[in-house]
Amino acid sequence: MNAPAVLVDDLVVRFGELTAVGGVSFAVAPGEVFGLLGPNGAGKTTTIRMLCGLLRPDGGGGTCLGMDLLSDAPRIRLQIGYMTQRFSFYGDLTVTENLEFMARLYQIRDRRRAIAEVLERIGLTDRADQLAQELSGGWKQRMALAACVLHRPRLLLLDEPTAGVDAKARREFWDMIHEMAADGMTVLVS
């Protein structure tokens, strides 16, 4: 049996007197689409931020892609894609320019090829020269997804990726997610 892509045991995060995440444990198999469900304020985003190495747990521990959440956070960040709840790209840059920026951050060697491939895969080729601020909500989500998978991560963390997106765009987005999982990518979504 393969080791879990994500394994967390008794994770705890406190903000002062508030326990935001209290003793969360779960395992996600490689290639699985795994959902974190719960009402607003339940700690889903906080849990995802711990998996990304952006927030240090106050208790418990775990691994992401076989690396320790506490000691290997910088290495983990290089092998995951993280899509936040809010659109966080540059509106005054085109889709391609935003992807070029991300490719430079990840030090992708053949940036043009990688960007062309992800534009094709995510269905953004016809919008490559459009300013990000001019995209509709569904197209912004596609661009954010393209930026998250540009460096070919093994794990994709999606924080409420289709909130506020119309039903057709939502269905197309989920079809892409399932295709990526079928190709072996592990996906954790809230």
Side-chain angles (χ1 to χ4, degrees):
M1 183 175 145
N2 289 339
V6 177
L7 179 64
V8 298
D9 184 36
D10 203 28
L11 281 182
V12 176
V13 170
R14 293 181 191 88
F15 298 109
E17 297 292 315
L18 174 70
T19 299
V21 176
V24 171
S25 299
F26 60 87
V28 183
E32 182 176 12
V33 177
F34 183 89
L36 284 178
L37 302 175
N40 290 342
K44 301 178 301 291
T45 297
T46 302
T47 300
I48 289 174
R49 292 186 68 214
M50 282 186 282
L51 296 175
C52 293
L54 299 174
L55 184 62
R56 191 168 177 85
D58 294 314
T63 60
C64 233
L65 303 171
M67 295 173 278
D68 185 77
L69 290 178
L70 300 174
S71 61
D72 293 325
R75 286 182 46 225
I76 291 170
R77 284 192 290 271
L78 293 174
Q79 295 188 43
I80 64 168
Y82 173 41
M83 187 170 156
T84 63
Q85 290 176 352
R86 292 183 188 91
F87 185 73
S88 55
F89 293 93
Y90 295 100
D92 58 344
L93 296 180
T94 66
V95 170
T96 298
E97 290 167 336
N98 272 286
L99 294 176
E100 173 74 23
F101 177 75
M102 293 303 295
R104 287 177 185 268
L105 286 177
Y106 281 105
Q107 300 176 356
I108 295 172
R109 287 197 171 100
D110 190 352
R111 291 189 296 271
R112 286 186 184 178
R113 181 191 52 76
I115 291 168
E117 286 175 2
V118 80
L119 287 171
E120 179 69 29
R121 181 171 194 178
I122 306 298
L124 284 166
T125 304
D126 291 343
R127 301 196 183 263
D129 297 323
Q130 189 171 350
L131 290 177
Q133 67 193 8
E134 295 174 355
L135 297 170
S136 69
W139 289 108
K140 283 180 179 175
Q141 293 304 86
R142 281 181 184 237
M143 189 188 103
L145 180 62
C148 290
V149 300
L150 183 63
H151 64 294
R152 299 178 183 230
R154 295 170 40 210
L155 173 63
L156 184 58
L157 303 169
L158 305 172
D159 195 357
E160 297 188 29
T162 56
V165 174
D166 68 76
K168 181 179 184 293
R170 182 176 294 121
R171 179 73 260 151
E172 291 170 350
F173 187 91
W174 280 107
D175 288 345
M176 286 184 279
I177 296 302
H178 286 287
E179 285 174 22
M180 290 178 199
D183 289 343
M185 186 180 295
T186 304
V187 180
L188 187 141
V189 61
S190 69

